[in-house]
Amino acid sequence: MKLSVERKPDSLVVLDITAEEEEFSLAVDNAIKKAARTVQIPGFRKGKASPARVEKMYGRETFLQEATDGVMDRLYREALKQEELVPVGDPSVEIVQIEPVQFVVTVPVYPTPVLGDYSTIRVDPIDAATTDDDVQEVIDRLQRSQSPWIDVTEVRSPVDGEQVTVDYEVFDGEEEFQKPIKDAVFILGETNLLSQLSDKLKELKVGESDSFELVFDEDDETADPTIRGKVLKYNVDLKAIHQRDLIAIDEEFAKKVADTDSVEELRVRIFEDVHQGKTNDARTQIVNSIIEQLVDRSELDLPHAMIHEEAHARVGHLQQEVQRSGTPFEAYLRMQNKTEEDIAVEMEPEAERRLRSSMLVQEFARAENVEVNDEDIDAEITKVVGEAPTDGDDAELAKFEQTKTLYNGTYFRNMMKNQLFDQKVTDRLIEIATEGRGAVINAYVAPVVIEAEGTEIEVESEVLEIDPEIIDVESEVLEVPDETQEDS
């Protein structure tokens, strides 16, 4: 075949393909021979007429289409293989001439990432030090959540932290925007309540009513999409105000909120939880910062077909979340006044960002020879299930073997492979960008309890590593490349 290749933006490739004359002529002859084996020609038994007789009776043009289809399909596949192209969307085809067939295919292909100089990426570690004030903030929050509400008897307006009971109606012009709400309960400054509405409630006293309009900008991301760009009229009645009757922070409180024996033990537990959370959050922040810099200095021409597919995948995730909440997805779409395609288009920028990040991190992993082998997975499984009991009874041994078999199944091994891969990749990114200093200083160190002659001893382990699934780059698209999988 004769082939010319032109690359265009958005990873589009134009293939101009022409069949060799002899090749195409042979394809037409084969199409005629195939027909000769089945057609009925007057004066001949079925399938006994010669190809020349069949061609003369039906005409050569009759068999061109079958020959053209077969040749085009084969030459297109050969061109993809020769140029090492992987289509990611449907091709468009234009036939330029019939005999020998010449056709032009425009197809989106899997892009080739070009990494920038990631060796010069730099970030400073984040301090995860935890203070007594951090602990006290959590205790105060727990105290508020456990304390009962009591009526406010004095005549005054509510303030942040107090609970209000209200009736309200909402109108869009003269039309009812939603059904009237009776005895709605909000905690000012804590409940996810429109800030404008919260401010209006703080101007009322119990028993008072008010009518007012709230204006929502088109680009107000703090407002629900259904009310952006609207002017809504609210009729509000403030029916009651309640304040918290704060309970004492004592042993009973510690037992109730965390099943600890003392307030001091509760503080230690909270300190560890907060410190661990700060460490994890800091590592995530560092990794995301590194990946942003990696993306900024690299090149990746993503085809729209890939972005579109990823956006629709994210719509699928949204559909599952909505349905888990008990709302049919069709009802959700009606409330949003949008189609599924509208939402997919809105999600395309985020889909592109995530795809770009994921694919460039994958390319970084290849450049740095990051891989996970069976020995890595076996070691991780051993960490999870432990060693076989040496002095246990048959039931304990059977339980251990059952657990080990479960974790050695395909599902868990693949899951561990991807988690270990994410961990190795992000560890390497951090090592380069921090010049070996690590992502976090004053990081949480998880204690490991070991047994020695019947006595429990706490020893310090390595710094607790973050679960890769909370990295902002989606782990479901940041998978270990499977070298055995053929391109399709």
Side-chain angles (χ1 to χ4, degrees), residues 338-353:
K338 294 175 182 175
T339 65
E340 187 172 320
E341 188 61 30
D342 291 336
I343 295 179
V345 170
E346 290 178 356
M347 288 185 168
E348 283 189 357
E350 177 64 12
E352 179 178 2
R353 185 189 72 81

Side-chain angles (χ1 to χ4, degrees), residues 118 363-372 421 424 428:
Y118 58 81
E363 188 65 18
F364 166 83
R366 281 188 283 269
E368 290 292 313
N369 297 315
V370 176
E371 59 183 17
V372 176
F421 179 73
K424 283 191 173 186
R428 182 61 182 143

